[in-house]
Amino acid sequence: MSDPDVMTAFTSGLADINLDESSTPRTGARAAGMKSASASIYDMAATLSGRGDLWNWGMDDPTLVAEIQALLPGFTEFGTDGFSEQLYYLALRDLPIGLDDYAGRVVLEVGCGMGEGLNFLSRIAHGARMTGLDLSPRAVARATATLSRGEDLRFVRGDAEELPIEDGSVDILVNIESSHTYPDLERFLREAERVLRPGGILTHIDVFTRQRFRTMRRITEEIHGLKWIADHDISAEVRAAVRRRMAPDSHFRRVLDRQRMNPLVRRIAAHSQILMFGGMFAGYQPPTSIRVLSKLGIVPWMSGLPMESYRHQVAVRT
């Protein structure tokens, strides 16, 4: 498939998965097509992304910033705005395990992308053995080449619905802004149940449509091996991060300004990135120039799904 065909397959697949009123899992050719498109999209992203880029919408909470600064002074001063890191920090912060109690524990991130988020976690949860898994071979190859550190931090290619991980071998399973792309959410959660040790923890962060959240609720009631101990709506903090990224003087805008492109191309690039990283969720309204180009069919007007909430959910393996 060409790049436009891949993007069309990916976006239509996302809509199919997240807007389904029946919460029917996608299997067979439909699931395979969505996974193939997803892998291709993130292969392209891995090729185009810069060093240190994290693929999530992020969150903005001054309390979290202060806590991370205490652990990693100046963490926002070199090539990052810190919003995505806050989301990763939250994934471990609110668990019934202290950050000073990770020595020897096995941490698995499912949907690790280029590995930058897991690399960040390795700097605050010392002594853990961390593995990142992703469907994109290009993302895994890049993570392995640039970030891997033996058994302390390694990366493997794999499917979230068929984890190549032994039963009961994981202490902490991290899943951030990834499961809304999975054709069969129940299968992933049952895989999480399988690979976690008794007492192991699933820390799950994602954005939800009304339909997908209802599916999640139904599944969690049916999987008795996972006891859900927390469900926090962090939509306000996520929207705050997206809005700050959209601001004229933001790190995101400064990075774009350093690239050699004419002003119109830069505005189109900014528009596309904002749509990709939560713009609609945060109430983004395109500038006049983009509105004109949209009427001419040159750029998309608004795209995305009617996401209603962004949540952090925690389960313990019984």
Side-chain angles (χ1 to χ4, degrees):
M1 290 190 290
S2 65
D3 290 354
D5 291 337
V6 168
M7 183 59 74
T8 298
F10 181 67
T11 54
S12 63
L14 281 180
D16 182 47
I17 292 167
N18 288 278
L19 299 179
D20 178 37
E21 295 285 352
S22 69
S23 69
T24 303
R26 278 25 182 184
T27 59
R30 292 172 74 183
M34 175 58 183
K35 291 177 183 180
S36 175
S38 180
S40 295
I41 290 292
Y42 289 106
D43 278 350
M44 288 187 283
T47 300
L48 298 173
S49 296
R51 181 71 183 268
D53 286 352
L54 280 78
W55 297 341
N56 65 58
W57 295 0
M59 65 182 294
D60 184 20
D61 184 327
T63 300
L64 299 189
V65 173
E67 292 180 12
I68 300 172
Q69 288 280 15
L71 295 168
L72 302 172
F75 83 100
T76 62
E77 295 178 12
F78 301 96
T80 177
D81 54 26
F83 299 129
S84 293
E85 287 89 344
Q86 290 180 60
L87 206 58
Y88 269 88
Y89 177 68
L90 180 71
L92 297 190
R93 175 187 187 260
D94 290 347
L95 303 187
I97 298 176
L99 289 175
D100 57 353
D101 192 24
Y102 274 79
R105 296 188 187 271
V106 175
V107 177
L108 170 67
E109 182 185 6
V110 177
C112 68
M114 296 186 302
E116 297 287 356
L118 193 61
N119 183 52
F120 171 78
L121 291 185
S122 75
R123 299 167 62 204
I124 62 172
H126 301 295
R129 289 179 290 138
M130 297 191 171
T131 298
L133 176 144
D134 202 89
L135 192 63
S136 161
R138 185 67 178 170
V140 170
R142 176 168 169 169
T144 298
T146 60
L147 300 173
S148 61
R149 300 193 300 275
E151 291 300 310
D152 293 336
L153 181 62
R154 68 188 188 98
F155 301 93
V156 298
R157 184 173 183 267
D159 186 331
E161 297 174 10
E162 298 180 55
L163 295 175
I165 306 295
E166 293 182 4
D167 294 2
S169 61
V170 174
D171 294 298
I172 309 293
L173 195 156
V174 178
N175 187 244
I176 297 179
E177 202 177 292
S178 180
S179 71
H180 67 279
T181 68
Y182 302 166
D184 191 340
L185 180 60
E186 179 173 352
R187 192 168 178 180
F188 160 63
L189 292 174
R190 291 197 181 278
E191 281 290 271
E193 176 190 32
R194 177 183 66 80
V195 303
L196 284 169
R197 308 183 200 276
I201 300 170
L202 167 62
T203 176
H204 176 263
I205 299 177
D206 210 353
V207 62
F208 290 92
T209 60
R210 172 182 55 81
Q211 297 91 335
R212 190 68 163 181
F213 185 57
R214 186 177 63 186
T215 297
M216 181 77 176
R217 280 284 178 85
R218 175 187 62 78
I219 294 169
T220 57
E221 292 173 357
E222 295 175 355
I223 299 179
H224 303 298
L226 293 175
K227 179 182 179 182
W228 295 86
I229 61 173
D231 182 359
H232 297 142
D233 189 329
I234 57 172
S235 300
E237 292 83 357
V238 172
R239 289 189 175 103
V242 175
R243 288 172 181 144
R244 287 191 63 185
R245 276 182 168 153
M246 293 189 294
D249 62 344
S250 68
H251 168 78
F252 163 74
R253 299 283 191 179
R254 292 195 298 271
V255 169
L256 273 179
D257 288 344
R258 289 198 296 267
Q259 298 179 20
R260 294 183 177 181
M261 57 180 74
N262 69 52
L264 180 58
V265 173
R266 183 178 295 115
R267 281 195 290 271
I268 294 172
H271 171 70
S272 299
Q273 289 288 308
I274 288 169
L275 288 182
M276 184 180 299
F277 288 97
M280 285 186 65
F281 188 66
Y284 165 66
Q285 293 297 321
T288 301
S289 58
I290 295 297
R291 294 169 186 262
V292 171
L293 292 173
S294 297
K295 289 181 180 179
L296 296 174
I298 297 174
V299 299
W301 166 235
M302 297 292 273
S303 61
L305 300 171
M307 297 301 189
E308 292 194 347
S309 65
Y310 204 114
R311 315 185 78 88
H312 181 207
Q313 301 162 307
V314 179
V316 176
R317 177 70 168 90
T318 59

